[in-house]
Amino acid sequence: MRVLFVPAAMRPHFYPLVTLAWAFRAAGHDVRVAGQPAIVEQIAQSGLPAVSVGAEHDLLQNMREIFQNPAVDLAAVRQRMSRVATGGRSPKWDRAAVRELTPEEERLREQVTYRPHAKAAEAMAADLVPFAREWGPDLIVSDPLPYVSSLVAEVLQVPLVRHLWGPNSTRRLAGHGGPTARTAADAWPAALVSLFEKYGARVRDDHARLTVDPTPTRMQIDDIPHRLPVRYVPYNGSGTVPGWLTEPVRRPRVCVTWGTTTAALTSREKYVVPTILEELLELDVEVVATLNREEREKLGELDERVRLVENLPLDWLLPTCDAIVHQAGAGTMLTAAAHGVPQVAVPQATDQPFNAAMLRGTGAGLSVDVDGFRSGDIRKTVAAAMNDVSVREAARQLREEVQEQPSPAELVATLEKLV
């Protein structure tokens, strides 16, 4: 078989696809990963064959311009995402809830969610449709956000598999099989409908035949169509294991990470990592901050008690940690879940408030409201996450649930039957 993988142009959307792509290659299938230039280097570093498409549109830059625009009320975005997640562990996605979105929330959804991804789809289609026609994939596996995947699947009439990156915050978006009282053509943004018409394809309520889901059931919403659970096998990049990581840990170790996308989307004024580090130093713990170069430039001078590392894969670090503080990015959250580490989430943008709500529902983590940040909140919450027996036990149970899911290798045989 020839299998085409399509991630959005951000690491957190490519990394969850890696282990399944490896599994297909190990089973003898031919694999290509089509991504925009911003993600091509990461694709190549994973050992997978990369196809560069859509150079005319920089997805992350487009999103950065939106999120750093003073006219965009990020607090309102977070409130909307939090309200979507109300209902605790498993929010219900019914038609009444969809109709509850206010005009302002609809405007935010159009501006923050649809617009950048519609532009990305248009740019990617110009390269990806000709490539796919020539290469002839038998199966397409895609991150939920690249609408171009549905377009290519429709044009070539090949099966499409949606691969989630975490708790399914995209369920309400057009074309994702979510509940709606409107026809597909009415629910989809006009720009995407026009793009599909240009290639002679039609929009549907859902183009995907199956939904591969690496999220533990306790952390996921209920009504995902054709859900196919898979074990979350962490992939956070490659590198060399540092010697200090194999040495005995003398004090409780707390990891602090902020994610590549969040650091890029938030301005220096809204960067809360310095406050987090300051409060952690009031505890008797060892602090390891794994941050990239851009984030380090925002930190200024650091206390010598903070071990600062760049791009160290969390999969290597977390087995030595007693807790982790993060931005509620799905990949970070699931990697911590896979290692049974108690978590403290400080959601700040995109789907992070939704993720934090789902984490709290499992009991394996706590969260701090970034809009109501008060002195001492981080210190107290991290201490609670490390010392509360119920949080540690919930984290252990979540790890067991991750391990009980079928491996990516086992999933290949199921997906082969679609062709």
Side-chain angles (χ1 to χ4, degrees):
M1 277 179 17
R2 291 181 173 181
V3 187
L4 176 64
F5 283 77
V6 186
M10 295 175 282
R11 292 186 196 184
H13 293 259
F14 166 60
Y15 284 175
L17 301 176
V18 170
T19 51
L20 184 59
W22 281 346
F24 268 105
R25 293 200 74 188
H29 299 299
D30 199 1
V31 170
R32 296 289 184 275
V33 184
Q36 293 181 269
I39 200 68
V40 164
E41 183 180 352
Q42 282 72 41
I43 297 171
Q45 288 176 352
S46 75
L48 295 167
V51 178
S52 182
V53 297
E56 284 126 19
H57 177 258
D58 187 332
L59 176 62
L60 191 56
Q61 177 60 29
N62 192 186
M63 294 179 66
R64 182 186 291 114
E65 291 170 358
I66 291 170
F67 278 86
Q68 293 187 6
N69 184 344
V72 176
D73 187 349
L74 290 183
V77 174
R78 285 192 290 271
Q79 288 169 9
R80 176 175 65 84
M81 294 303 296
S82 296
R83 189 166 67 77
V84 165
T86 55
R89 182 181 62 84
S90 294
K92 303 298 181 184
W93 301 79
D94 55 26
R95 292 183 178 182
V98 173
R99 288 195 297 269
E100 283 178 5
L101 290 179
T102 66
E104 174 63 14
E105 288 171 332
E106 290 283 9
R107 186 188 68 80
L108 284 168
R109 177 163 66 173
E110 167 67 24
Q111 185 176 16
V112 175
T113 305
Y114 286 133
R115 194 175 303 172
H117 297 295
K119 290 181 178 179
E122 182 177 8
M124 294 174 75
D127 298 321
L128 188 54
V129 171
F131 166 79
R133 281 176 169 154
E134 176 66 25
W135 189 60
D138 301 293
L139 179 69
I140 300 172
V141 180
S142 177
D143 165 49
L145 291 183
Y147 279 93
V148 71
S149 303
S150 298
L151 172 62
V152 173
E154 189 74 11
V155 169
L156 271 62
Q157 290 296 292
V158 298
L160 172 67
V161 172
R162 178 183 296 115
H163 194 302
L164 302 181
W165 70 79
N168 193 9
S169 60
T170 65
R171 182 77 166 97
R172 289 187 180 185
L173 297 183
H176 288 70
T180 178
R182 297 179 289 176
T183 65
D186 290 335
W188 281 60
L192 285 170
V193 174
S194 297
L195 177 64
F196 273 61
E197 289 175 346
K198 174 182 175 181
Y199 286 91
R202 67 170 183 160
V203 298
R204 303 175 185 269
D205 290 331
D206 194 353
H207 291 83
R209 298 269 291 275
L210 291 172
T211 300
V212 173
D213 186 11
T215 312
T217 302
R218 287 194 297 136
M219 198 184 282
Q220 188 58 279
I221 64 174
D222 288 332
D223 59 341
I224 296 176
H226 313 297
R227 179 176 182 257
L228 190 61
V230 66
R231 185 184 313 154
Y232 182 78
V233 179
Y235 173 81
N236 317 121
S238 58
T240 303
V241 179
W244 61 265
L245 202 54
T246 63
E247 299 171 358
V249 180
R250 304 187 184 281
R251 291 183 296 162
R253 178 175 286 168
V254 178
C255 170
V256 177
T257 187
W258 212 240
T260 55
T261 303
T262 305
L265 293 180
T266 53
S267 63
R268 186 181 296 270
E269 294 74 23
K270 297 182 182 295
Y271 191 59
V272 297
V273 170
T275 302
I276 291 171
L277 296 177
E278 288 174 10
E279 294 205 6
L280 287 177
L281 290 176
E282 297 176 20
L283 300 171
D284 184 23
V285 297
E286 176 191 350
V287 179
V288 179
T290 171
L291 307 168
N292 61 29
R293 187 172 291 105
E294 288 183 7
E295 293 174 275
R296 294 177 70 167
E297 292 174 357
K298 296 180 183 179
L299 288 176
E301 188 174 349
L302 279 178
D303 191 290
E304 61 182 11
R305 292 171 292 174
V306 176
R307 185 190 293 271
L308 190 61
V309 294
E310 186 176 339
N311 297 328
L312 176 66
L314 290 178
D315 187 35
W316 307 349
L317 173 61
L318 286 185
T320 72
C321 292
D322 297 273
I324 179 172
V325 183
H326 57 75
Q327 81 291 4
T332 302
M333 195 168 69
L334 291 180
T335 302
H339 289 291
V341 178
Q343 307 181 48
V344 173
V346 189
Q348 198 164 15
T350 60
D351 58 348
Q352 294 164 7
F354 176 83
N355 294 338
M358 302 308 285
L359 172 64
R360 288 196 308 270
T362 70
L366 307 172
S367 65
V368 175
D369 183 2
V370 74
D371 292 320
F373 217 86
R374 293 179 300 179
S375 177
D377 281 354
I378 290 293
R379 172 176 51 80
K380 294 173 186 176
T381 308
V382 171
M386 288 193 301
N387 299 321
D388 190 320
V389 174
S390 65
V391 176
R392 295 204 309 270
E393 176 60 18
R396 185 193 65 78
Q397 292 176 359
L398 199 59
R399 178 175 180 266
E400 288 184 353
E401 185 177 336
V402 171
Q403 293 176 333
E404 288 168 359
Q405 301 305 315
S407 70
E410 293 174 274
L411 231 63
V412 169
T414 300
L415 297 179
E416 287 172 340
K417 296 174 184 177
L418 292 176
V419 177

